Amino acid sequence: DDFSDNDTTEETEAPDATVPLPQSEAALLVSQLRSLEPSEMAGYVACLVADSPRGGNTSVLSAFQQLTSDQQRVVQSSLLSLERLSEIQNKYSVDETARKVQLELGTCEVVTAWTSGCTWNEALEISGSAPGDLVRILHRVLDALRQIGNLPVNAVRSMDAAAGITQEESTGIHPDIRQLCREAATAMDRYPVKDPLPFEDDDEEDEKEEEESAENVDENNIE
C-alpha cells in the first residue's frame, strides 16, 4: 500500500517537471492570490503601486511582519517574479528610469486595515501619515484595483502548469483575482476616500455602443 501511494504521488507531480520554472512560479503566485481575502488583495496591490511613505522609518522586515501570513507568502512568490522581470530588463537593456522592480510594503498594513473596515482615525494612527497623504495612497490603490477589476478575462484556462502544459502566452488575469479586486475596491470606497466613479457596467457599455452606432447611421444618412 505504501508503494502504491508513492506511485500515485509521483504520477501526479511528474508533469510539473516538463513546465518551465517561471511558468510554475507564476502558477503558484496566481493560486496564492486567489486565496486572499479582498482586504488582503488591496494590501498587496498597495505594495505594487504605492510610493515610499514620506518620512517613513519602518524597516522592510518590520513592515513584512505586519502582513498576514497569506500576504507574506504572496510577497515571497512575487519577489521571484520580480527577479525574473529584472533579468529580462537587464538582458534587453531597459532604461533604468523606466523600471520599478520592487515592492513597497510600508502601506500594505493600513490599506488592508482600511479595506477591512477600520475607522479613519485608526487608519491615520496605523499609517502615521498626514490625512492628505493617506487619502492619496488609498485613492491610488483604489484606482489600481478598479483597473485590474475591469481588465478583460481570457476564457482559455486549459493551459495550466499543474497539467504539465507549456504555456506560450499569457492567459490573462484570472476571474477570481478580478473579482477580488472589485470587492476590495467596493470596500475601500467610503468616506473620506469615496470616489463617485462606479465600475463599468456591461449594460451601460452596450447602450453607449448602440447610441454611437445610431449616431453614425444618422450622420451617414445626412451625407
Side-chain angles (χ1 to χ4, degrees):
D1 291 340
D2 291 340
F3 287 107
S4 176
D5 291 341
N6 291 336
D7 291 343
T8 302
T9 301
E10 290 178 0
E11 290 178 1
T12 302
E13 297 177 350
D16 290 343
T18 66
V19 175
L21 183 58
Q23 182 183 335
S24 297
E25 292 171 349
L28 175 61
L29 177 57
V30 169
S31 176
Q32 292 172 334
L33 287 170
R34 292 172 60 197
S35 71
L36 295 179
E37 294 295 324
S39 60
E40 294 175 319
M41 177 62 76
Y44 173 70
V45 170
C47 297
L48 301 177
V49 303
D51 295 325
S52 300
R54 297 182 184 180
N57 297 319
T58 304
S59 68
V60 174
L61 178 58
S62 177
F64 181 79
Q65 292 173 337
Q66 298 302 317
L67 308 183
T68 68
S69 58
D70 285 340
Q71 285 175 326
Q72 290 178 352
R73 282 190 285 270
V74 167
V75 166
Q76 290 171 328
S77 295
S78 297
L79 290 175
L80 291 176
S81 297
L82 291 178
E83 288 180 9
R84 303 291 180 194
L85 175 59
S86 181
E87 291 171 0
I88 295 298
Q89 290 178 330
N90 289 332
K91 180 178 179 180
Y92 291 98
S93 301
V94 176
D95 186 350
E96 291 187 3
T97 60
R99 300 185 185 188
K100 186 188 176 183
V101 188
Q102 64 182 25
L103 294 177
E104 176 51 62
L105 306 184
T107 59
C108 181
E109 182 186 9
V110 67
V111 172
T112 301
W114 177 255
T115 312
S116 296
C118 78
T119 66
W120 180 245
N121 286 336
E122 289 172 338
L124 288 172
E125 183 177 351
I126 292 171
S127 68
S129 301
D133 291 338
L134 181 55
V135 167
R136 280 189 289 273
I137 291 169
L138 295 175
H139 266 298
R140 178 176 291 188
V141 176
L142 178 58
D143 181 61
L145 287 167
R146 281 181 162 151
Q147 291 185 46
I148 298 171
N150 283 322
L151 286 174
V153 178
N154 187 333
V156 179
R157 293 291 163 194
S158 61
M159 302 184 72
D160 186 3
I165 302 174
T166 300
Q167 187 172 298
E168 300 296 339
E169 60 183 19
S170 172
T171 57
I173 188 169
H174 196 286
D176 291 350
I177 296 176
R178 181 176 181 266
Q179 181 60 30
L180 280 170
C181 288
R182 292 172 68 93
E183 292 176 8
T186 299
M188 287 188 68
D189 193 19
R190 55 193 176 91
Y191 182 82
V193 182
K194 187 169 179 60
D195 188 326
L197 294 177
F199 277 115
E200 293 177 0
D201 185 282
D202 293 337
D203 293 336
E204 291 179 0
E205 288 299 307
D206 291 340
E207 291 176 3
K208 289 180 181 178
E209 291 177 2
E210 291 175 2
E211 290 174 0
E212 291 174 358
S213 297
E215 290 175 0
N216 291 333
V217 170
D218 293 339
E219 290 176 359
N220 292 333
N221 289 338
I222 291 173
E223 294 175 356

